[in-house]
Amino acid sequence: MRRPADLRPASAAAIPLLPALAATALLLTACGTEHAAAGSTGARPAASRSGTRADDPGKDGVRITSLTLPPASPSPTRDHSVSAEGLATGADPGISAAYEVTNEGTETLTYSVVFTFVSEDGGAVGNRTETVRDVGPGRTVRGTVRAGELPAGAPRVTGAKVLEVTKVPAREAPAEPGTCPASGVRIGTDEGDAAMGLRVVGLHLDNCGTRAYTVEGYPLLELLDDDRRPVGAVEILHGSGGIATGTGLDDRPRPVTLQPGESATAGLVWRNTTGFGTPVNVPYVRVRAEEGAEPVTVTPHLDLGTTGKLGVGPWKQAEGRALAGSGRSGPLRAAEPPARPSTGRTTPRG
């Protein structure tokens, strides 16, 4: 959109001052997409139409640069009326946010970013997660995230924010969906489950290669804080460690041979009970399938409270789990090496 000054005639006297101001206001309110000014370092909107907050500069090198909203509702007539809510929700409401990711570190990183689209009162209307891979040191990568389908009856979206950012070294990031690492195995996590303070998350080891793969024992885990530094004062236990019963984590480790397209799983269990002391939160877990294996860093966000314990079960054959690209489906998330040595090993065969 051209700036109002670009549209003025050669002689300023040709247009009276008040009409010129009115024309300027019309031009500004007619724009559906607002862009941050060139060289801006924050998520500043060019006008309030975008709904982005001037005091929301983004997070961890990620910021929103513009917001696209659907056209404003036309004035109702006798035969035609459109509500603002109807424009802001539905299968494709046409709402999107442009963003940029800047790596201010010294190593190539892969980012996972949760964006939240908000209403005028700041309440969340919907969240979307974007993965931005292989951002080199000093580089800026730009992209667009769409709001997609929003809940029925949701308030009109007027803004967007960066809600959460996790970033791992690109060499340790989980494999991109539909691809297979050189090792022939892929590590990830599911979304987990929580009830009455008990937390359970599943680790997955998928054979996406062309040979049989045998795993035995426990995954190796390393707990990492927000800066990806080792977290102390947490004991990683083989089995449930009395945290809960009936979880299957106390079963005896056995060799599990995975044919191409098959998976193994190992459970993590903990309680987020908070007593005396400082609660421990672990956003990152480095996972290794065996001693000497390449680590994968996953982001299960373990809220360990003050219990100081995390139980891990042995690898088991996964039931009914299928891999993308092999006619199977299953939830996957990033993972990396463990800080505690395992008693088992994973050995490729064939």
Side-chain angles (χ1 to χ4, degrees):
M1 184 181 73
R2 298 174 57 194
R3 293 171 12 190
D6 298 331
L7 303 179
R8 295 180 61 190
S11 173
I15 298 180
L17 179 59
L18 290 179
L21 291 175
T24 298
L26 287 173
L27 284 168
L28 289 174
T29 56
C31 298
T33 303
E34 308 297 345
H35 296 275
S40 171
T41 57
R44 300 189 314 170
S48 60
R49 172 82 173 101
S50 72
T52 54
R53 310 294 197 260
D55 60 349
D56 178 26
K59 185 177 296 187
D60 292 338
V62 182
R63 71 185 186 99
I64 294 171
T65 56
S66 68
L67 180 70
T68 298
L69 299 176
S73 302
S75 300
T77 64
R78 184 183 309 173
D79 300 320
H80 180 69
S81 178
V82 179
S83 67
E85 288 75 16
L87 289 173
T89 59
D92 185 6
I95 300 171
S96 64
Y99 63 86
E100 62 182 29
V101 177
T102 300
N103 182 356
E104 299 174 350
T106 58
E107 61 181 330
T108 301
L109 300 172
T110 288
Y111 291 73
S112 180
V113 186
V114 180
F115 296 94
T116 182
F117 290 87
V118 300
S119 58
E120 188 171 3
D121 63 2
V125 179
N127 294 341
R128 293 293 180 268
T129 300
E130 292 285 302
T131 299
V132 184
R133 295 181 178 273
D134 302 329
V135 183
R139 288 192 57 213
T140 295
V141 174
R142 296 173 177 83
T144 301
V145 57
R146 297 185 63 84
E149 184 175 358
L150 298 175
R156 184 177 180 81
V157 170
T158 61
K161 294 181 180 180
V162 178
L163 182 63
E164 179 183 278
V165 178
T166 54
K167 48 192 177 183
V168 302
R171 65 183 181 278
E172 297 180 2
E176 188 172 4
T179 66
C180 187
S183 64
V185 294
R186 201 162 48 203
I187 291 179
T189 70
D190 58 28
E191 295 299 323
D193 194 11
M196 299 298 290
L198 181 67
R199 306 285 196 261
V200 179
V201 165
L203 295 176
H204 298 284
L205 176 66
D206 300 326
N207 184 354
C208 55
T210 58
R211 300 182 300 168
Y213 200 93
T214 297
V215 61
E216 182 179 3
Y218 300 85
L220 299 170
L221 307 180
E222 183 178 358
L223 309 183
L224 306 175
D225 64 15
D226 285 320
D227 297 317
R228 300 194 305 280
R229 296 177 300 194
V231 173
V234 175
E235 186 178 8
I236 300 177
L237 307 169
H238 285 172
S240 67
I243 296 171
T245 60
T247 61
L249 272 67
D250 294 312
D251 294 347
R252 184 177 178 179
R254 300 178 183 278
V256 177
T257 298
L258 305 175
Q259 299 300 323
E262 294 183 337
S263 302
T265 184
L268 304 181
V269 64
W270 72 98
R271 290 190 182 276
N272 73 332
T273 306
T274 300
F276 294 104
T278 303
V280 176
N281 294 306
V282 179
Y284 302 94
V285 179
R286 216 176 241 130
V287 180
R288 297 180 193 270
E290 64 165 333
E291 288 280 2
E294 291 296 321
V296 177
T297 299
V298 295
T299 55
H301 296 276
L302 310 180
D303 54 343
L304 300 179
T306 57
T307 62
K309 295 196 299 184
L310 174 67
V312 55
W315 291 115
K316 297 180 179 181
Q317 181 86 35
E319 298 296 332
R321 178 177 167 78
L323 302 184
S326 64
R328 311 176 61 192
S329 63
L332 285 176
R333 287 178 57 182
E336 214 201 318
R340 183 182 178 88
S342 162
T343 60
R345 20 180 337 182
T346 305
T347 309
R349 301 195 311 181

